[in-house]
């Protein structure tokens, strides 16, 4: 049980290498309950890798990642002998961490409702009718009541992503990880997805959001983190980092963005 | 032509043997092939290399060579099999290698994002296999596998070369009596054609039906 | 189990049969694939360009060949056709005809898929610079198609090389026939197949490797 003072996600000195290449270096990050933290930065900078370490879709070589007091990757925390967690333990930990993917990753052989129900039935152990009830409720919350029995192939990108969000949130996770969830969407579909996420944030969902959409990051997050070359280069409030950036390379990064993603220039 | 029709009962017996050989080969290769295919994808290195070696070696030689070796060679090493079982063993060994490749392809063609998403909602390895991987893998496995079944039926004709009286050898025996090769070869061809064409149409229909499942 | 007195000397004594058999197998496969390519390409063009009747005829040919055992086709051509045609030909000629027709049927599909896979933009570009249909075929579509199908052609050749073993049943002196000859005349079954199996394997993988090198140099991959 985590001490009340500990943030719900606690990342300490996390490091990771892919062969010769150092992907993450001494990363420290805290996320408090009901907080939204946005991670921005150039591609290859380690943002997605860090996010994927939180639910151990990627392993981390050094440091510690704790979600609600539990070390995600290893059995004895950051003790000397780090024994990797087994499949069942990982499954249990991951059940409480939700993730929404850039490429949606909906299960193509299941309908929207079945996609949302799978976790509820097999992981939360709900009987079929109850699971369907919950799934339908969540699909209604994301505005897809009329598509519950559609297959992913019959849905637009924005609709698929909203199913992806419903699928993750229906599990009632302690923290929601969003990995560039609008990057693969046509511009006109981005809005409907961001609206759903904004609503979730208002309702107090703890989130870590990796994104290229600076307006979204400014509007939704309590804190913004700028990552580059595997390290956190700057950190602060949205105003500090996005509206009036001080950090040199951060300024360079922001000005290099496609205007579609950048903040509107309202000086 | 009349002799062809009169010989139909004899051909029928041969056809039964053909179907028997094919069914055995298909069944054995399906079971071992799928297990080995899954093993090669998810198993440790120790399991991967022998299966890989087996698959590449067997597929690199003509099936006829394998049949001759099993039939003539194993007795020399002390293993005595009658022609029927030697043929089934050789054909099954050959087909298993193909099934392994089909199974492997079916599983590996599933986008890694699927297992990511399955892990993210907290499913265990076997749950992921059961609910996410296998349902998708089966749909990708079936069309090419049905083609492998037609290959097995065609390959069964080779058992005639070591004396097993299948449809092929039945056709030749009748020709030996009637001295009219063409009508009988054509009859035999039509029978093989009907069996395999039905199977391959099924495969094609499955492929279009499953197309909407694939992303 | 291994009460077997291994004796490879018999094999080396008759190795010339194996070696010449191997060469013959390669040649049979080569001739068959060349003729097969002509047949396959012609029929693929007929199929993509032709009307319903043409497509049905091509499909009938392809489906027949692909659903009947090669062994039966070999017998049909070697024993069956002469009996109604009145002429006769040697086993090697007969086998080449059979294998060419066989490979032609498989190559129709390869070429058809290759033609379909050509990016529309390439053909549009050809139209835009004023080439007529024939010129587009020769200067744009066929070259593009060959680049696309080269890997399939390599695999087909290697398959045909292995299929030449069927020729042994009509006494064509290729590699498997040589192996069986040695088997029946010296009873050195284990030794002969211990030699012939690597011969097939090394040749097969050798060709694969060589063709892959060729592909790298001549095929522009995007």
């Amino acid at each position: 049980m985590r001490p009340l003072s500990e943030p719900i996600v606690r990342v300490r000195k996390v490091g990771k290498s892919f062969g010769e290449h150092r992907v993450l270096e001494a990363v420290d990050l805290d996320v408090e309950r009901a907080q939204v933290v946005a991670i921005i930065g150039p591609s290859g900078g380690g943002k997605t890798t860090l996010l994927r370490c939180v639910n151990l879709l990627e392993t981390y070589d050094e440091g510690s990642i704790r979600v609600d007091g539990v070390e995600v990757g290893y059995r004895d925390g950051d003790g000397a002998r780090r024994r990797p967690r087994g499949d069942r333990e990982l499954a249990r930990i991951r059940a409480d961490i939700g993730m929404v993917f850039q490429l949606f990753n909906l299960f193509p052989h299941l309908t929207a409702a079945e996609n949302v129900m799978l976790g509820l039935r097999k992981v939360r152990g709900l009987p079929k009718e109850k699971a369907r009830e919950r799934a339908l409720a969540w699909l209604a919350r994301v505005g897809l009541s009329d598509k519950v029995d559609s297959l992913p192939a019959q849905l637009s990108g924005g609709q698929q992503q909203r199913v992806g969000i419903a699928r993750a949130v229906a599990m009632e996770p302690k923290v929601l990880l969003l990995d560039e969830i609008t990057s693969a969407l046509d511009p006109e579909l981005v809005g409907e997805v961001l609206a759903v996420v904004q609503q979730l944030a208002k309702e107090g969902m703890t989130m870590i959001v990796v994104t290229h959409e600076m307006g979204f990051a400014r509007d939704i997050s309590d804190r913004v983190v700028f990552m580059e070359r595997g390290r956190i280069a700057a950190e602060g409030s949205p105003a500090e980092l996005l509206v009036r950036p001080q950090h040199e390379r951060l300024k360079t990064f922001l000005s290099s963005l496609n205007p579609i993603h950048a903040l509107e220039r309202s000086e | 032509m009349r002799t062809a029709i009169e010989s139909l009962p004899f051909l029928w017996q041969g056809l039964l043997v053909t179907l028997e050989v094919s069914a055995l080969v298909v069944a054995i290769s399906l079971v071992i092939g799928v297990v080995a295919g899954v093993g090669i994808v998810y198993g440790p290195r120790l399991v991967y290399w022998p299966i890989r070696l087996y698959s590449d070696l067997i597929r690199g030689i003509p099936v006829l060579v394998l049949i001759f070796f099993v039939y003539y060679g194993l007795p020399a090493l002390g293993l005595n099999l009658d022609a029927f079982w030697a043929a089934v063993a050789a054909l099954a060994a050959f087909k298993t290698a193909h099934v392994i490749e089909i199974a492997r392809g079916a599983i590996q063609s599933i986008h890694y994002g699927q297992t990511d998403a399955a892990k993210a909602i907290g499913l265990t390895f076997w749950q992921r296999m059961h609910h996410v991987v296998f349902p998708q893998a089966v749909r990708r496995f079936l069309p090419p596998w049905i083609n492998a079944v037609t290959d097995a039926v065609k390959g069964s004709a080779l058992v005639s070369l070591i004396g097993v009286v299948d449809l092929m050898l039945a056709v030749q025996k009748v020709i030996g009596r009637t001295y009219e090769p063409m009508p009988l070869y054509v009859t035999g061809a039509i029978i093989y054609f009907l069996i395999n064409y039905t199977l391959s149409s099924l495969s094609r229909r499955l492929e279009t039906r499953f197309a909407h499942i694939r992303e | 189990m291994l009460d077997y007195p291994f004796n490879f000397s018999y094999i080396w004594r008759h190795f010339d049969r194996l070696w010449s058999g191997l060469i013959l197998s390669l040649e049979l496969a080569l001739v068959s694939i060349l003729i097969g390519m002509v047949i396959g390409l012609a029929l693929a063009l007929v199929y993509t360009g032709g009307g319903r009747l043409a497509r049905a005829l091509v499909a009938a040919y392809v489906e027949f060949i692909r659903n009947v055992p090669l062994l039966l086709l070999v017998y049909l051509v070697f024993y069956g056709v002469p009996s109604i045609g009145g002429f006769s030909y040697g086993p090697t000629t007969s086998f080449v005809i059979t294998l060419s027709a066989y490979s032609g049927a498989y190559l129709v599909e390869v070429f058809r898929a290759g033609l379909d896979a050509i990016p529309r933009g390439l053909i549009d570009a050809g139209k835009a610079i004023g080439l007529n249909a024939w010129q587009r075929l020769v200067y744009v579509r066929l070259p593009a198609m060959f680049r696309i199908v080269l890997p399939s052609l390599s695999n087909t050749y290697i398959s045909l090389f292995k299929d030449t073993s069927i020729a042994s049943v009509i006494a064509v002196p290729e590699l498997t026939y040589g192996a069986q000859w040695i088997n029946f005349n010296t009873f050195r079954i284990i030794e002969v197949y211990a030699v012939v199996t690597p011969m097939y394997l090394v040749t097969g993988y050798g060709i694969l490797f060589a063709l892959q090198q060729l592909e790298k140099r001549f095929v522009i991959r995007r």
Side-chain angles (χ1 to χ4, degrees):
Chain A
M1 197 56 236
R2 115 192 114 94
L4 273 161
S5 57
E6 186 174 306
I8 197 150
V9 178
R10 192 192 85 132
V11 177
R12 283 283 177 279
K13 291 194 175 30
V14 164
K16 181 179 175 66
S17 307
F18 269 137
E20 294 293 308
H21 186 218
R22 195 82 183 133
V23 179
L24 292 174
E25 184 65 63
V27 176
D28 288 341
L29 186 66
D30 284 347
V31 182
E32 305 287 348
R33 191 180 280 283
Q35 226 187 21
V36 176
V37 173
I39 308 183
I40 64 172
S43 359
K47 334 187 281 296
T48 294
T49 311
L50 178 64
L51 200 72
R52 289 167 62 93
C53 283
V54 175
N55 66 352
L56 218 76
L57 285 185
E58 302 280 353
T59 55
Y60 49 99
D61 306 324
E62 300 121 35
S64 152
I65 298 182
R66 304 233 287 238
V67 173
D68 201 13
V70 177
E71 182 71 31
V72 170
Y74 301 93
R75 277 192 202 146
D76 4 23
D78 32 32
R81 306 239 264 113
R82 292 154 68 84
R83 290 178 303 144
R85 288 202 182 275
D87 183 59
R88 280 185 190 280
E89 295 173 315
L90 279 178
R92 256 178 279 132
I93 292 173
R94 286 177 179 143
D96 291 328
I97 305 172
M99 191 170 217
V100 186
F101 299 87
Q102 182 176 353
L103 296 175
F104 331 136
N105 291 339
L106 293 186
F107 305 129
H109 57 294
L110 301 177
T111 63
E114 287 166 348
N115 260 275
V116 180
M117 282 162 66
L118 185 59
L120 295 174
R121 293 182 63 192
K122 300 299 169 182
V123 181
R124 296 295 184 215
L126 293 179
K128 191 167 176 185
E129 310 75 42
K130 258 220 148 287
R132 186 166 167 89
E133 221 179 272
R134 287 258 193 112
L136 261 46
W138 279 108
L139 286 170
R141 298 263 304 261
V142 302
L144 288 171
S145 299
D146 55 334
K147 299 283 185 194
V148 295
D149 293 317
S150 302
L151 288 171
Q154 301 164 311
L155 302 174
S156 75
Q159 292 169 329
Q160 287 186 57
Q161 193 57 297
R162 285 187 275 151
V163 175
I165 295 174
R167 179 176 64 178
V169 180
M171 296 290 287
E172 291 170 0
K174 295 173 181 163
V175 58
L176 189 61
L177 308 174
L178 294 108
D179 186 7
E180 301 205 30
I181 64 176
T182 55
S183 296
L185 291 176
D186 288 336
E188 65 268 17
L189 300 173
V190 169
E192 70 196 48
V193 172
L194 296 184
V196 170
V197 180
Q198 281 227 330
Q199 185 59 27
L200 288 171
K202 275 208 194 97
E203 290 165 7
M205 173 71 73
T206 314
M207 297 195 266
I208 307 179
V209 184
V210 171
T211 185
H212 279 321
E213 299 279 346
M214 295 306 141
F216 177 61
R218 180 202 51 202
D219 293 339
I220 194 184
S221 51
D222 302 303
R223 257 177 44 247
V224 176
V225 167
F226 173 61
M227 268 191 84
E228 189 194 39
R229 285 187 235 150
R231 291 170 184 276
I232 294 185
E235 200 175 332
S237 73
E240 285 166 7
L241 253 73
L242 298 176
V243 181
R244 287 179 301 275
Q246 304 292 332
H247 195 271
E248 261 325 297
R249 290 202 298 280
L250 173 56
K251 285 204 267 194
T252 317
F253 168 68
L254 289 173
S255 56
S256 74
L257 287 177
N258 185 325
I260 267 183
H261 305 301
L263 285 184
E264 319 82 51
R265 292 261 153 260
S266 50
E267 316 289 355
Chain B
M1 200 59 233
R2 202 173 47 118
T3 42
I5 297 176
E6 281 170 359
S7 57
L8 278 175
F10 185 60
L11 294 182
W12 173 255
Q13 293 301 317
L15 177 58
L16 289 179
V17 174
T18 290
L19 293 174
E20 207 185 324
V21 171
S22 306
L24 280 166
V25 168
V26 164
I28 297 173
S29 62
L30 179 65
V31 172
I32 303 180
V34 168
V35 170
V38 172
I40 213 178
V41 175
Y42 293 109
R45 293 271 103 179
L46 209 64
V47 160
Y48 176 82
W49 284 112
I51 299 180
R52 185 108 212 93
L53 212 66
Y54 172 83
S55 174
D56 288 347
L57 241 59
I58 295 278
R59 285 181 309 144
I61 62 177
V63 59
L64 191 55
V65 165
L66 194 56
I67 291 177
F68 283 155
F69 178 72
V70 169
Y71 181 63
Y72 294 109
L74 290 192
L77 293 174
L79 235 87
N80 268 299
L81 287 173
D82 73 1
F84 180 85
W85 289 107
V88 168
L91 286 170
F94 193 72
K95 266 283 138 263
T96 301
H98 282 131
V99 174
I100 291 175
E101 285 310 304
I102 298 173
R104 186 166 80 105
I107 299 173
Q108 289 182 329
S109 67
I110 298 173
H111 192 256
Y112 71 91
Q114 290 294 301
T115 33
D116 276 355
K119 285 178 182 172
I121 58 177
L123 295 174
T124 63
F125 177 77
W126 287 110
Q127 287 177 320
R128 298 197 290 271
M129 289 298 110
H130 182 196
H131 298 287
V132 176
V133 175
F134 283 161
Q136 295 183 60
V138 165
R139 287 165 167 97
R140 287 159 202 249
F141 176 81
L142 280 178
W145 178 72
I146 296 182
N147 284 327
V149 171
T150 65
D151 281 347
V153 173
K154 287 187 285 178
S156 72
L158 295 174
V159 308
S160 62
L161 300 171
I162 54 175
V164 177
V165 188
D166 69 329
L167 177 59
M168 190 74 242
L169 189 51
V171 162
Q172 290 178 278
K173 282 181 182 265
V174 173
I175 292 173
R177 287 202 304 269
T178 68
Y179 299 100
E180 287 174 18
M182 209 53 176
L184 273 133
Y185 284 135
V186 170
T187 309
I190 292 175
I191 299 175
Y192 276 112
F193 178 82
L194 287 173
I195 300 172
N196 283 328
Y197 186 69
T198 317
L199 287 170
S200 55
S201 309
L202 178 63
S203 165
R204 269 189 293 261
R205 244 176 318 131
L206 280 179
E207 218 170 338
T208 36
R209 205 156 78 102
F210 290 151
H212 76 284
I213 298 286
R214 303 164 70 114
E215 342 107 76
Chain C
M1 171 178 99
L2 286 175
D3 249 355
Y4 185 85
F6 282 87
N7 189 339
F8 280 87
S9 64
Y10 288 97
I11 314 299
W12 307 136
R13 195 180 309 164
H14 298 291
F15 190 73
D16 57 310
R17 286 180 186 271
L18 296 180
W19 181 254
S20 59
L22 176 63
I23 304 292
L24 183 59
S25 288
L26 290 168
E27 289 170 351
L28 291 171
L30 185 63
V31 175
S32 302
I33 201 177
L34 290 174
I35 301 176
M37 278 169 65
V38 173
I39 299 174
L41 188 55
L43 292 180
L45 291 172
V46 164
Y47 190 87
T48 43
R52 281 183 55 197
L53 181 61
R55 282 204 299 273
L57 288 174
V58 172
Y61 169 76
V62 169
E63 286 304 323
F64 177 75
I65 298 276
R66 291 177 66 149
N67 286 301
V68 172
L70 178 58
L71 182 62
L72 199 155
L73 293 172
V74 169
Y75 285 144
L76 199 153
V77 173
F78 186 56
Y79 293 117
V81 171
S83 76
I84 56 173
F87 58 91
S88 74
Y89 35 36
T92 309
T93 312
S94 152
F95 185 75
V96 170
I97 294 173
T98 313
L99 201 61
S100 303
Y102 183 76
S103 68
Y106 281 91
L107 289 174
V108 169
E109 182 54 36
V110 169
F111 287 137
R112 203 191 52 74
L115 285 170
D116 271 352
I118 299 174
R120 269 242 73 115
L122 236 60
I123 304 173
D124 288 346
K127 288 182 183 167
I129 62 178
L131 298 176
N132 67 36
W134 177 257
Q135 291 170 318
R136 286 199 303 273
L137 177 68
V138 173
Y139 296 112
V140 177
R141 293 168 69 204
L142 289 183
M145 180 204 73
F146 274 110
R147 283 197 175 82
I148 295 172
V149 302
L150 202 56
S152 294
L153 288 180
S154 322
N155 289 332
T156 304
Y157 178 71
I158 295 170
S159 267
L160 290 176
F161 167 64
K162 288 183 277 178
D163 289 333
T164 58
S165 65
I166 308 269
S168 60
V169 313
I170 53 174
V172 173
E174 46 70 62
L175 184 51
T176 303
Y177 181 79
Q180 285 296 82
W181 188 97
I182 295 178
N183 178 20
F184 290 141
N185 284 283
T186 68
F187 300 104
R188 299 284 111 203
I189 170 76
I190 308 285
E191 292 91 322
V192 70
Y193 279 109
V195 169
V196 166
T197 301
M199 284 175 81
Y200 273 110
L201 284 170
V202 169
T203 310
Y205 281 106
I207 300 173
L208 185 64
F209 182 72
L211 288 174
Q212 278 172 346
Q213 297 305 104
L214 217 74
E215 270 173 53
K216 275 193 201 141
R217 291 180 55 212
F218 287 113
V219 176
I220 307 161
R221 295 208 186 282
R222 285 163 241 175

